[in-house]
Amino acid sequence: MWKLTEELAEIMKNYPIRSQESVESWNALISVKLFDCCGSITWWLSEYDPEYKIAFGYVTGFHEDEWGSVSLDELETLKFWPMHRVERDLFFKPTHFKDLPFNKKTS
């Protein structure tokens, strides 16, 4: 079994799907960062449903960056033989969306 789903369930137990609906997206707490170790896609997750293994958050690295849902079951199928392509950034600390690196203004 992919250990990531267990880790997410524990880390995000206080942030079920729709728990931050009343919060402006700019202030949403991002609890987990996942990344494709063979590509440029990053998932910044703010909410998680352990029953359906669906996470909600912001994704970067596709044609357009956007908020949306992602199935962890689908991410689990992405492999770079024999490893999983999607990994959790173990050094990422929960932070508000507005404070993520790509939102910082450059001088």
Side-chain angles (χ1 to χ4, degrees):
M1 179 179 194
W2 197 33
K3 188 177 178 186
L4 185 60
T5 54
E6 295 171 10
E7 292 174 0
L8 280 182
E10 181 60 30
I11 293 168
M12 301 184 76
K13 65 184 172 191
N14 296 323
Y15 299 98
I17 295 291
R18 299 186 185 262
S19 65
Q20 297 191 65
E21 223 171 28
S22 63
V23 176
E24 290 186 39
S25 61
W26 198 246
N27 283 319
L29 182 67
I30 305 299
S31 299
V32 173
K33 175 186 173 187
L34 302 180
F35 63 95
D36 179 351
C37 62
C38 299
S40 63
I41 302 167
T42 302
W43 295 267
W44 308 87
L45 304 181
S46 61
E47 301 169 357
Y48 180 64
D49 181 334
E51 181 180 354
Y52 295 102
K53 297 181 184 173
I54 299 289
F56 180 81
Y58 196 74
V59 64
T60 58
F62 280 120
H63 179 65
E64 297 217 10
D65 300 344
E66 64 182 356
W67 288 96
S69 298
V70 62
S71 165
L72 284 233
D73 284 337
E74 287 183 25
L75 293 184
E76 184 177 1
T77 66
L78 300 176
K79 293 192 178 183
F80 183 72
W81 183 265
M83 305 173 352
H84 290 284
R85 284 183 57 169
V86 178
E87 296 184 16
R88 181 170 69 91
D89 182 342
L90 300 175
F91 299 100
F92 179 76
K93 302 285 186 218
T95 188
H96 292 277
F97 180 75
K98 65 184 175 187
D99 296 324
L100 293 176
F102 55 83
N103 288 325
K104 299 289 183 188
K105 293 182 181 179
T106 56
S107 342

